[in-house]
Amino acid sequence: MKLNMAEEEDYMSDSFINVQEDIRPGLPMLRQIREARRKEEKQQKANLKNRQKSLKEEEQERRDIGLKNALGCENKGFALLQKMGYKSGQALGKSGDGIVEPIPLNVKTGKSGIGHEALLKRKAEEKLESYRRKIHMKNQAEEKVAEQFRMRLKNKQDEMKIEGDLKRSQRACHQLDIQNNIQVPREAWYWLKLEEEAEEEEEEKEQDEDEYKSEDLSVLEKLQILTSYLREEHLYCIWCGTAYEDKEDLSTNCPGPTSADHD
């Protein structure tokens, strides 16, 4: 019977509504309280920060004003200096060779310890010096590479010049030997020949074991031997381009037996 009455109870009755109204807000109310407290603490911190900032600014202003104003007679230290003969604007010391302006005041505002700024300065200087050493070493390496390139280029040019002088000497030797009825060169490489003729002669030629091969000589050695032959046998200098009358005429008018003598 009681069960049936409970089922038939009206949901809009006062008993049901009163039960619903008795439910407390619970967790949402606690969140609102915490949020209000957090905002209040944040505002207090901001006010305190602004106050501290304004105090620092006021302190700085008072300090600047105090440093700008000169000491007056009411200052005991200044009064004692005046009694000893000191005048405003005069240098300190008996002979007047001391400082005129007061020692500057450097206010430390950071939280780092004494000597920290000097440490940072030293590290910065060491870093700069290390960077300069690296740049100097890099420049030296680049200069060394450039110098090696110039030397290789110069050596290549010198080799090409020596080869050109050798060919000129071979042509001159061939012509002068023919003019003097010499039909066979003293050495095969004394005369400049076409490559095919040289190869054919090389195949037919049999050299003695004691005879040195021309391939064993460098281009410079060949040039030295051939120019010496031209000077002794034909009184001819390839750099002067002249055949002299006698040895006295050659030694007097030719600068020397090498290309450097004619530069």
Side-chain angles (χ1 to χ4, degrees), residues 47-62:
N47 294 336
L48 180 60
K49 186 176 181 181
N50 293 334
R51 184 187 173 195
Q52 290 177 350
K53 183 177 180 181
S54 61
L55 289 175
K56 289 181 180 179
E57 291 176 352
E58 291 177 1
E59 183 181 355
Q60 180 67 31
E61 291 176 359
R62 289 195 301 269

Side-chain angles (χ1 to χ4, degrees), residues 2 11 27 29 31 51 70 87-88 93 96 109 119-120 129 131 139 147 189 220 230 243 250 252 263:
K2 291 182 180 180
Y11 289 99
L27 186 59
M29 180 60 69
R31 288 180 178 176
R51 184 187 173 195
K87 295 180 181 180
S88 181
T109 58
L119 177 63
L120 294 178
E129 184 64 24
Y131 174 76
N139 292 337
E147 182 64 24
W189 55 269
L220 180 60
L230 290 173
L250 175 64
T252 303
D263 292 339

Side-chain angles (χ1 to χ4, degrees), residues 4 29 42 63 87 96 172 177 179 189 246 251-252 254:
N4 293 333
M29 180 60 69
K42 186 176 180 181
R63 186 185 301 112
K87 295 180 181 180
D177 283 350
Q179 290 177 0
W189 55 269
D246 51 31
S251 61
T252 303
C254 179

Side-chain angles (χ1 to χ4, degrees), residues 46-189:
N47 294 336
L48 180 60
K49 186 176 181 181
N50 293 334
R51 184 187 173 195
Q52 290 177 350
K53 183 177 180 181
S54 61
L55 289 175
K56 289 181 180 179
E57 291 176 352
E58 291 177 1
E59 183 181 355
Q60 180 67 31
E61 291 176 359
R62 289 195 301 269
R63 186 185 301 112
D64 293 340
I65 293 173
L67 292 174
K68 289 179 181 178
N69 297 330
L71 295 176
C73 297
E74 67 278 0
N75 185 276
K76 294 182 179 181
F78 187 74
L80 289 174
L81 287 174
Q82 284 183 324
K83 289 180 180 180
M84 290 186 292
Y86 175 78
K87 295 180 181 180
S88 181
Q90 182 182 353
L92 297 178
K94 184 176 181 181
S95 58
D97 56 353
I99 61 174
V100 178
E101 297 294 331
I103 298 174
L105 177 63
N106 296 322
V107 180
K108 182 175 176 56
T109 58
K111 296 182 179 180
S112 57
I114 298 175
H116 182 68
E117 294 181 358
L119 177 63
L120 294 178
K121 183 178 179 181
R122 189 179 75 252
K123 287 184 176 180
E125 291 176 352
E126 292 176 354
K127 186 176 181 181
L128 179 61
E129 184 64 24
S130 177
Y131 174 76
R132 288 175 177 172
R133 286 198 300 268
K134 289 180 180 179
I135 293 297
H136 181 66
M137 293 175 63
K138 181 180 179 182
N139 292 337
Q140 283 187 332
E142 291 177 353
E143 181 62 26
K144 185 177 180 181
V145 172
E147 182 64 24
Q148 290 176 350
F149 174 76
R150 288 193 291 268
M151 290 298 297
R152 288 196 300 269
L153 184 61
K154 184 178 183 301
N155 293 337
K156 185 65 176 179
Q157 292 174 345
D158 292 343
E159 291 176 2
M160 293 176 64
K161 186 177 184 303
I162 293 173
E163 290 177 357
D165 291 342
L166 177 60
K167 290 181 180 180
R168 287 169 53 200
S169 299
Q170 289 171 327
R171 294 190 188 97
C173 182
H174 189 185
Q175 183 178 358
L176 292 172
D177 283 350
I178 295 298
Q179 290 177 0
N180 288 274
N181 296 321
I182 300 176
Q183 301 300 324
V184 179
R186 181 176 294 184
E187 296 292 341
W189 55 269

